[in-house]
Amino acid sequence: MKNRVLSGIRATGRLHLGNYLGAVKGMLALQDNADYETFYMVADVHTITTPYNVEELRKNRREVILDYLAAGLDPEKSVIFQQSEVNEHIELAFLFSSVVTIAKMQHLPTFKDKVKQHPDSATMALLNYPILMASDILIYNASMVPVGIDQEPHLEVAREIARRMNADFRTNFAEPKRFGTKGEYVPSLTGEGKMSKSVEGSYINLTDSLEDIKKALARVVTDSGRGTVRKKEGLREYYYEDENGRLSEGVGALLKFVELFQGFDKRREYEQMYDGDGIRYGDLKSSLADAIFAELSPIQEKRKELEANPEYVDKIIEEGNKKAREVAAQTLEEVKKKMGLAS
Ligand code: ATP
Ligand code: MG
């Protein structure tokens, strides 16, 4: 049997550069590798773990799939589906919750971050998020998961659940590993934290025009253009201190984008300017915007074609949902038997 792959994106908005570089690029690489069988979903059930608007969700659970297809996910090579259409994910998650302690879930950094972001909405669904994610992965017995680095703590939970289930109920779950990419951590345009769909002003969407990209980059806070480049101990990660010794987070984000879209050498060039005569941010932002748009423009063309052909997209989703259900139902049935819930 081929190794399986699972990945998903929440239906909280249009895809942004972080989703593309951190997740979709990895999804594409594995889709094109004949050793793997790939399952890619829109994680619409995960959307309801934080406050959301019903109409937006209804729209986005399809929009994410359009973005997937536009970015190159291929229904001939991958099973493309909607999480909520495969009820088994939720059922298996409940079974898994019997081997996970509340304390463990409460201490996850991702849980704490979301609680900070939505202090009045720390729901049971949010606490359960990593268990549902473990179910998403293990229900296909996926061993490889192309996601950004922010998801690593959740993958650790999935591995623990796999180990516990295998030990207690003699299941045969693989311990899933993260498949990382060069863009596994794309910073927010605000300079603080990662780019996120649910953080206004943090992102550039795959559907943004050159004008939108320029406007978004214009908002990134910079400095005088000169300062000191510092390197994080033992890491190929850099940060920038302006002439007053203050951390220039916006500059850090810009130079990360330069590295991702124009290459590491270009980034080094700017760093030398920062150390020397100074960076002219107007010029940097303008050539960076062009480089980003050059990568997005073919995706946007493809998206227009797909938008003009809704029946084709509906058919892909319907078939994907059906294929996913077949595999998921089989796993769930086996687990129920092993847990004493079916004979
Ligand atoms: P939300 O704010 O609603 O949580 P998000 O932008 O964090 O949205 P998710 O749907 O949670 O996106 O994540 C989808 C995928 O994109 C995951 O694999 C995640 O690791 C990856 N991802 C999200 N943000 C980034 C980022 N800034 N850099 C790299 N990968 C990212
Ligand atoms: Mg997220």
Side-chain angles (χ1 to χ4, degrees):
M1 202 179 78
K2 284 188 183 186
N3 288 316
R4 295 238 182 87
V5 176
L6 179 286
S7 189
I9 292 186
R10 285 177 8 121
T12 41
R14 294 273 178 99
L15 265 57
H16 55 66
L17 298 180
N19 302 139
Y20 178 59
L21 299 173
V24 176
K25 283 248 172 157
M27 292 159 80
L28 290 169
L30 292 169
Q31 162 184 276
D32 292 330
N33 183 329
D35 294 341
Y36 293 99
E37 193 180 350
T38 44
F39 289 78
Y40 297 138
M41 63 175 192
V42 48
D44 52 358
V45 182
H46 282 287
T47 308
I48 72 167
T49 62
T50 45
Y52 74 101
N53 173 291
V54 171
E55 278 315 312
E56 291 284 310
L57 172 57
R58 196 166 284 141
K59 190 168 93 252
N60 285 329
R61 63 198 289 276
R62 199 166 186 286
E63 291 292 303
V64 170
I65 293 194
L66 277 180
D67 278 335
Y68 273 165
L69 296 170
L73 291 203
D74 180 349
E76 300 288 322
K77 298 178 183 163
S78 294
V79 179
I80 299 168
F81 70 101
Q82 292 161 317
Q83 182 189 27
S84 65
E85 298 289 331
V86 188
N87 300 334
E88 288 83 356
H89 286 230
I90 299 177
E91 204 174 331
L92 184 64
F94 189 81
L95 302 183
F96 282 174
S97 71
S98 70
V99 297
V100 183
T101 66
I102 300 168
K104 169 83 201 171
M105 291 295 102
Q106 280 174 328
H107 285 109
L108 283 180
T110 44
F111 176 71
K112 290 184 186 161
D113 286 349
K114 286 282 185 204
V115 172
K116 232 184 268 165
Q117 207 181 332
H118 311 281
D120 301 325
S121 312
T123 62
M124 283 306 296
L126 182 63
L127 190 65
N128 272 308
Y129 184 124
I131 303 178
L132 180 57
M133 182 164 151
S135 164
D136 299 333
I137 299 166
L138 300 180
I139 209 161
Y140 301 101
N141 211 2
S143 55
M144 200 59 101
V145 184
V147 288
I149 205 158
D150 61 296
Q151 295 298 319
E152 193 54 63
H154 294 160
L155 274 176
E156 186 52 41
V157 172
R159 287 190 284 268
E160 278 178 35
I161 290 178
R163 281 196 292 271
R164 274 298 301 269
M165 291 297 298
N166 292 348
D168 294 0
F169 302 109
R170 305 171 65 185
T171 51
N172 295 305
F173 291 118
E175 288 187 31
K177 283 202 252 328
R178 191 173 71 87
F179 181 78
T181 60
K182 231 169 46 158
E184 62 185 16
Y185 183 87
V186 175
S188 163
L189 294 176
T190 62
E192 203 186 322
K194 75 167 191 69
M195 188 176 279
S196 291
K197 283 185 244 104
S198 57
V199 179
E200 224 20 81
S202 79
Y203 53 81
I204 291 174
N205 286 136
L206 299 188
T207 46
D208 281 351
S209 66
L210 181 57
E211 231 13 72
D212 295 331
I213 298 172
K214 285 192 168 158
K215 274 192 205 138
L217 291 181
R219 286 196 307 269
V220 178
V221 178
T222 52
D223 53 22
S224 69
R226 292 169 65 169
T228 312
V229 181
R230 298 201 186 281
K231 190 163 183 282
K232 283 194 184 150
E233 201 65 40
L235 292 173
R236 205 182 90 166
E237 258 194 62
Y238 302 84
Y239 59 99
Y240 306 89
E241 267 173 25
D242 70 9
E243 290 174 305
N244 302 315
R246 272 193 298 261
L247 187 64
S248 276
E249 287 169 320
V251 174
L254 281 179
L255 291 186
K256 183 75 197 177
F257 292 132
V258 166
E259 177 182 338
L260 291 168
F261 289 93
Q262 300 180 283
F264 192 70
D265 291 347
K266 190 79 188 162
R267 177 181 186 151
R268 284 301 301 157
E269 252 175 61
Y270 283 124
E271 286 177 342
Q272 276 154 15
M273 289 157 92
Y274 197 69
D275 261 333
D277 294 344
I279 300 178
R280 291 157 58 111
Y281 290 113
D283 296 347
L284 179 152
K285 288 180 174 182
S286 167
S287 81
L288 176 60
D290 288 339
I292 294 174
F293 186 66
E295 179 127 7
L296 300 191
S297 132
I299 299 177
Q300 295 178 5
E301 290 300 312
K302 180 86 188 286
R303 200 179 204 282
K304 279 198 204 108
E305 281 170 31
L306 292 159
E307 281 167 0
N309 204 347
E311 293 86 17
Y312 169 72
V313 176
D314 287 343
K315 198 158 157 269
I316 292 173
I317 297 175
E318 206 184 304
E319 281 176 11
N321 288 347
K322 191 165 156 263
K323 280 188 210 155
R325 255 181 236 131
E326 280 166 17
V327 179
Q330 216 178 334
T331 309
L332 180 65
E333 195 50 34
E334 280 165 25
V335 174
K336 282 178 77 172
K337 273 190 198 147
K338 290 188 168 159
M339 290 182 81
L341 292 165
S343 34

